[in-house]
Amino acid sequence: MPKTLSAAPAPASGGPNPSPRRGRTGFTLGALSPRGMSPRTLVIVLAVITLGCIAAFMTIDLRGNLSYALTRRGIRVGAMLVVAVAVGLSTLMFQTVTANRILTPSIMGFDALYILIQTGLVFALGSSTLLTAAPSLKFGVEVALMVVFSALLYRWLFTGGTGSLHLMLLVGIVIGTLFRGFSSLLQRLMEPSEYIVLQDLFFASFNQVEPLLLGISAVVVVLVAAVVWKLRKTFDVLALGRDTAVNLGVDHRRIVTLVLVLCSILVAVSTALVGPVTFFGLLVVSLAYQVVRKFSHAALIPIVCLLGGITLIGGQLVLERVFGFATALSVIIEFAGGLLFLYLLLKGSLK
Amino acid sequence: MSAPVLSRTAAAEQVPAVAVRRSKKPSETAWLVLGTVAVLLLAVVSLFVGVSEVSLPQLLAGNAEAWDLLWISRVPRTLAVVLAGTAVAVAGLIMQLMVRNRFVEPSTVGTVESATLGILVVTVVLPAAPIMLKMGVAGVFALGGTALFLAVLGRLPARNTLLVPIVGIMLGGVIGSVTTFFAYKYDLLQTLSNWMIGDFSGVLRGRYELLWLVAALTLAGYLAADRFTVAGLGADFTTNLGMNYKAVMRLGMVLVSLISAVVVTTVGAVPFLGLIVPNIVSLLFGDNLRRAVPWTALFGAGFVLVCDIIGRTIRFPYEVPVGMVMSVLGATIFLTLLLRTRKRNA
């Protein structure tokens, strides 16, 4: 027992026989792929790439009024970073808790739920109430509702005791469809003027993010990220599977609820900022697992965040500067992520 | 003493299985007639729902305007609803037999999405193409999408009942994202949403007649129903019975794809219909196929009629597309079916 536990954090300067798993991967793959890199080096390399992307994004083709252009670009970069961290972390946590590599909060309908709640609020209270309310208050109410609903709904789904992952996944997908259908029905029943207000709420692309909301979101995401970081060791234990984790003294039910709450906060933040992105989280977290050989959350957490930033900022940069598209990045991510999802299914990752 | 009793019960269990079916037959025909009457009643109700007044007294008084309205707008619309409902439900049934999976239908395996992509491609390449050409291209794309799904299905690691629809939905999502991308690029997003959401509000005389084509296809599906059942039992079994497995599968794919393509081009996608109607029919009447097809057709027509009437009255005088009503109702019913499965398994 202690041997398996100590294998993960084995220090490089360990005893005369270091963990054989580490040594072997280091030799065979070290020269070819980043898998051989120690997590710390990897994080540093990725951080440098991220900074490079940000710098390029901020400075390429910079003309006209400098401070205006820089502020606008800064807001976009900030929004992308917030979304990258929110989506990446929520997917990582969700996958760890549900012990699989395919589920993501958005496939399970989390962001559809958020949109339904917003639509329901506008439908019930009218857009004027929502427009005149302070953005922070509105945001707080929405997030609170989202947290309560999703914790109830998804806890019921995950602790229902059937153990059939496929059934859970299918129910999640259908629930998502139901929420989306219900929102569009409500939107259809609204006054057209109210609908326009609502539409602006979901399709705020990276270009029209409100600085105040971005500030609040950034603070929220940083706070949640801090909690996640604090829990990193618990996640390592959870990753061993539900039964093992319970045997090792983890209060599984409590932690699942906590994770669902954290996920709903993160999903609410990212959806409020830029609208729903279904497969982005799947893409980033799968990439992270490809890159990291050491499955410790202390390594995974920063790597997921950085990879998310690189994908979004770098992707946007390439799309805008090379291909001349404005906002189609989410569509491309959707396509690539969808293919990846199918590939994972076919490979049999979801057993 | 106990042995004869046992054997008698065993025999008693076997005989009624046949006897009940035989004795049930007349009463079932009666039910079928009753069901047809109910659907006809719904159709009549559907004729009299709408913004412009069309009422029985007016018609009897020979009000020319009312009669015009009836013939130009109301009758075509009701016919379109009935035809589309029947066809999509039967297409779903055929697909479920072919794939041997109860959770599958053209809109959960990518057929509908592929048809939509096809229409988009024609619209971009040949904007002035006649509707028959658009439909043909949509059909070819739908066929390709269905074939792709079946190919993917063959490669699935385990033939898991619930995995099949998941893969299908995701495949549809991937095809859909390609469609969205090109629609975005060519500024056709709004046009696209017309095909994605089924809507009968644009149906007038002259704009629905192609749906009679689906009626013919549905009839063909009925006549070939037994073959699909056999094909569902597997390639070896089918070949042993002296049938050409590949030909049957091809026929099924062509029928399902053409039905989807025609319905999508004329009224847009009708989600979940092909999924829940066959399931409900199977729950109520079992899996005898010849028997199931008429019921599926009847329930399909009735369900779409109800949804269309709801869509037209819920926000009177405005109209909510039937596809939206259907996605909410359909998803709810589908969830109930899924969770029933869960209870049974538990």
Side-chain angles (χ1 to χ4, degrees), chain A residues 160 162 166-167 169-171 173-174 178 181-182 184-185 188-189 191 279 325 327 331 335 338 341-342 345-346, chain B residues 156-157 160 162-163 166-167 170-171 174 177-178 181 184-185 315 320-321 324 327-328 331-332 334 338 342:
Chain A
T162 50
H166 291 113
L167 180 61
L169 182 50
L170 192 56
V171 169
I173 292 175
V174 179
L178 177 64
F182 206 63
S184 46
L185 191 64
R188 202 60 185 224
L189 298 178
E191 300 295 330
F279 288 112
F325 286 121
T327 50
V331 181
F335 179 62
F341 184 82
L342 286 175
L345 276 176
L346 288 175
Chain B
L156 277 187
N160 181 310
L162 294 164
L163 193 58
I166 296 169
V167 170
M170 288 305 144
L171 192 63
V174 172
S177 76
V178 175
F181 178 76
Y184 173 81
K185 201 171 165 224
R315 177 136 174 70
V320 176
M324 280 185 185
S327 67
V328 172
T332 317
F334 187 31
L338 276 178
R342 161 163 155 170

Side-chain angles (χ1 to χ4, degrees), chain B residues 186-249:
Chain B
Y186 293 102
D187 221 354
L188 287 169
L189 274 178
Q190 259 194 320
T191 324
L192 186 68
S193 68
N194 288 343
W195 303 314
M196 306 266 259
I197 300 169
D199 188 0
F200 291 100
S201 63
V203 171
L204 292 174
R205 195 164 66 193
R207 298 267 312 262
Y208 84 101
E209 280 79 355
L210 284 164
L211 283 174
W212 288 106
L213 206 66
V214 239
L217 294 170
T218 313
L219 191 67
Y222 174 61
L223 294 177
D226 291 336
R227 284 161 200 260
F228 297 127
T229 321
V230 176
L233 295 173
D236 294 340
F237 189 83
T238 314
T239 316
N240 275 344
L241 286 183
M243 272 165 58
N244 186 341
Y245 176 72
K246 278 198 172 150
V248 177
M249 289 298 270

Side-chain angles (χ1 to χ4, degrees), chain B residues 57-315:
Chain B
Q58 272 179 328
L59 291 177
L60 290 178
N63 184 333
E65 221 171 287
W67 277 105
D68 273 357
L69 198 68
L70 189 71
W71 287 121
I72 296 174
S73 161
R74 296 292 166 76
V75 173
R77 179 174 187 149
T78 304
L79 276 176
V81 170
V82 170
L83 289 174
T86 309
V88 172
V90 173
L93 181 67
I94 294 176
M95 184 140 233
Q96 293 184 359
L97 288 170
M98 281 179 9
V99 184
R100 226 193 313 170
N101 189 308
R102 279 271 161 217
F103 297 117
V104 160
E105 66 142 351
S107 77
T108 60
V109 306
T111 307
V112 170
E113 285 81 359
S114 309
T116 315
L117 179 61
I119 307 177
L120 184 77
V121 169
V122 196
T123 313
V124 169
V125 178
L126 272 178
I131 188 121
M132 281 310 274
L133 181 66
K134 284 191 180 176
M135 228 172 247
V137 175
V140 171
F141 270 75
L143 213 53
T146 319
L148 179 66
F149 170 71
L150 290 176
V152 168
L153 202 60
R155 294 199 45 206
L156 277 187
R159 217 184 157 87
N160 181 310
T161 326
L162 294 164
L163 193 58
V164 173
I166 296 169
V167 170
I169 293 172
M170 288 305 144
L171 192 63
V174 172
I175 297 171
S177 76
V178 175
T179 313
T180 318
F181 178 76
F182 284 108
Y184 173 81
K185 201 171 165 224
Y186 293 102
D187 221 354
L188 287 169
L189 274 178
Q190 259 194 320
T191 324
L192 186 68
S193 68
N194 288 343
W195 303 314
M196 306 266 259
I197 300 169
D199 188 0
F200 291 100
S201 63
V203 171
L204 292 174
R205 195 164 66 193
R207 298 267 312 262
Y208 84 101
E209 280 79 355
L210 284 164
L211 283 174
W212 288 106
L213 206 66
V214 239
L217 294 170
T218 313
L219 191 67
Y222 174 61
L223 294 177
D226 291 336
R227 284 161 200 260
F228 297 127
T229 321
V230 176
L233 295 173
D236 294 340
F237 189 83
T238 314
T239 316
N240 275 344
L241 286 183
M243 272 165 58
N244 186 341
Y245 176 72
K246 278 198 172 150
V248 177
M249 289 298 270
R250 231 178 286 137
L251 175 68
M253 270 168 56
V254 169
L255 286 180
V256 168
S257 305
L258 283 181
I259 289 178
S260 308
V262 176
V263 172
V264 169
T265 26
T266 40
V267 295
V270 221
F272 288 112
L273 176 66
L275 192 71
I276 49 180
V277 170
N279 270 298
I280 291 173
V281 169
S282 149
L283 281 177
L284 292 179
F285 305 102
D287 283 332
N288 182 340
L289 200 80
R290 285 276 169 149
R291 237 167 76 191
V293 172
W295 280 112
T296 308
L298 211 57
F299 271 55
F303 190 57
V304 185
L305 276 171
V306 170
C307 288
D308 190 49
I309 293 173
I310 293 177
R312 278 192 274 174
T313 44
I314 191 173
R315 177 136 174 70

